[in-house]
Amino acid sequence: MNDTDSSFGQKELDNLLNEYEIENNGVQIKVEEFDVEGTDNTDTKRYIAEFKYKNNHYQLKGIMNKSEFDNILKNLVFL
């Protein structure tokens, strides 16, 4: 479940900065980039990637810089 669907407690969501897609071996991966409150490093953002492969839904999350996250997505192997 997504964070907004799965929590009954109140929490503040990070600000959505950007949405983009990456293609890897014919799989379209939707990425959302969020600003993270309380971090000193302006290059560090929170990323959520979502995609479907063989009728399964996948989601990857991480707090890192954009090039590291994109590199992970570009190096996924689909069998």
Side-chain angles (χ1 to χ4, degrees):
M1 295 181 110
N2 291 332
D3 290 341
T4 55
D5 296 336
S6 63
S7 179
F8 291 108
Q10 182 179 1
K11 65 181 183 177
E12 293 187 30
L13 299 176
D14 293 332
N15 294 327
L16 177 64
L17 299 175
N18 189 21
E19 292 180 302
Y20 60 97
E21 288 192 3
I22 292 179
E23 188 271 331
N24 180 346
N25 292 320
V27 176
Q28 290 298 117
I29 304 171
K30 178 186 169 193
V31 180
E32 295 178 328
E33 177 183 30
F34 294 88
D35 190 25
V36 179
E37 295 292 326
T39 59
D40 294 335
N41 187 349
T42 57
D43 292 337
T44 301
K45 307 289 184 217
R46 183 170 63 91
Y47 295 92
I48 300 174
E50 296 184 28
F51 60 94
K52 280 188 174 182
Y53 181 70
K54 292 190 176 182
N55 294 320
N56 291 302
H57 179 262
Y58 295 89
Q59 187 178 68
L60 289 105
K61 297 180 181 183
I63 297 177
M64 60 189 70
N65 69 43
K66 183 178 179 181
S67 62
E68 288 176 308
F69 194 76
D70 289 352
N71 192 41
I72 291 169
L73 298 177
K74 290 175 185 176
N75 285 294
L76 291 175
V77 176
F78 300 97
L79 302 175

